[in-house]
């Protein structure tokens, strides 16, 4: 039986569940069975599932690719925004309804 173990490993490497291997090897066995190891070897060889498809290649990393800045909580209003460092969101920094980016004196 030790000679059959590598064939079982082939099945498992191809994604077959242990229960599927067991079912394939034990279903509808001939009665009487004169050469049990021969029957199992035949089934392992002839009923071997196809290989798993190749894993998709990961996309190439380009020099300009980067991650967006992490999310931060605004120190003024608790709004969530993206920024490299903690601080205040755009509205809290510049005030509401500004056109030039500078808060107007009210």
């Amino acid at each position: 039986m030790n000679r059959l173990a590598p064939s079982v490993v082939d099945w498992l490497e191809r994604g077959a569940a242990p229960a599927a291997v067991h079912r394939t090897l034990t279903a509808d066995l001939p009665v009487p069975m004169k050469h049990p190891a021969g029957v199992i070897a035949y089934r392992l060889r002839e009923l071997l599932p196809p290989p798993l498809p190749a894993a998709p290649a990961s996309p190439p990393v380009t020099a300009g690719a980067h991650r967006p800045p992490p999310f931060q909580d605004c120190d003024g209003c608790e709004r969530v925004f993206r920024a490299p460092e903690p601080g205040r969101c755009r509205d809290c920094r510049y005030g509401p309804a500004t056109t030039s980016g500078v808060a107007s004196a009210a």
Side-chain angles (χ1 to χ4, degrees):
M1 287 307 228
N2 288 337
R3 69 180 174 93
L4 300 175
S7 297
V8 174
V9 171
D10 290 342
W11 276 65
L12 298 175
E13 287 176 346
R14 290 184 178 206
V21 176
H22 179 267
R23 187 172 44 252
T24 302
L25 298 180
T26 59
D28 298 321
L29 292 171
V31 177
M33 190 176 333
K34 293 182 182 180
H35 305 285
V39 171
I40 292 174
Y42 172 82
R43 289 184 177 192
L44 286 171
R45 182 179 63 249
E46 295 301 319
L47 302 176
L48 182 65
L52 292 172
S58 60
V61 178
T62 58
H66 68 284
R67 296 183 130 179
F71 287 110
Q72 307 290 344
D73 288 332
C74 176
D75 293 338
C77 67
E78 299 297 319
R79 178 190 289 172
V80 176
F81 65 102
R82 286 194 182 268
E85 300 292 328
R88 293 182 171 254
C89 68
R90 178 178 48 226
D91 290 344
C92 290
R93 279 190 310 242
Y94 301 120
T98 61
T99 55
S100 64
V102 178
S104 58

